[in-house]
Amino acid sequence: MGGPLNFENNYVARNIVRRLIEGDPALLPEKPVELNLLEGIQLHAPDVVLPNGAMRLDDDIIEAMRKMEQIDETINRLPGYDCGSCGSPTCRTFAEDIVRGYASEMDCIHILKDHLRAMAQQMVALAQNTRQ
């Protein structure tokens, strides 16, 4: 729950899945499955499954570790609401986008709001200083 292209709040989605599992006795793993239900279903992949490089931060392991440290530092600066307003499903994925260069911290509505508030206070202080 909470991966990319998840259009539901990850807490709500987890709760929905939990309720579905609790309400459907067919999903309980301790019950045996009838063999006739498995007929015609391919249970193994015919081809070799290759690793997906989409989540790789960098080909160089040293650079990837540096980027992981940058992600951790960026997460500490983010509000941690996982609201999705920035276009990423969680603040962690947003931090990854920032480190990869796909986004900037100002894409976070909460950081932008705080930045605008600080700018407004500076403008008020500047206006008061010019009047005096």
Side-chain angles (χ1 to χ4, degrees), residues 47-113:
D47 300 325
V48 175
V49 178
L50 299 174
N52 184 351
M55 298 306 291
R56 181 179 295 174
L57 290 174
D58 203 286
D59 290 332
D60 179 22
I61 190 71
I62 303 295
E63 184 64 19
M65 295 291 285
R66 189 184 64 74
K67 287 182 179 181
M68 286 182 72
E69 289 175 359
Q70 286 180 333
I71 289 170
D72 290 340
E73 292 169 4
T74 305
I75 289 171
N76 291 333
R77 291 192 303 268
L78 296 175
Y81 297 140
D82 292 341
C83 64
S85 301
C86 59
S88 295
T90 64
C91 287
R92 174 147 189 94
T93 56
F94 180 55
E96 290 175 15
D97 288 346
I98 291 171
V99 170
R100 289 175 180 227
Y102 301 145
S104 75
E105 286 189 29
M106 286 300 140
D107 292 337
C108 173
I109 191 91
H110 303 288
I111 291 177
L112 180 62
K113 177 184 69 171

Side-chain angles (χ1 to χ4, degrees), residues 37-54:
L37 295 176
L38 298 176
E39 290 177 10
I41 297 175
Q42 186 174 358
L43 298 177
H44 67 281
D47 300 325
V48 175
V49 178
L50 299 174
N52 184 351

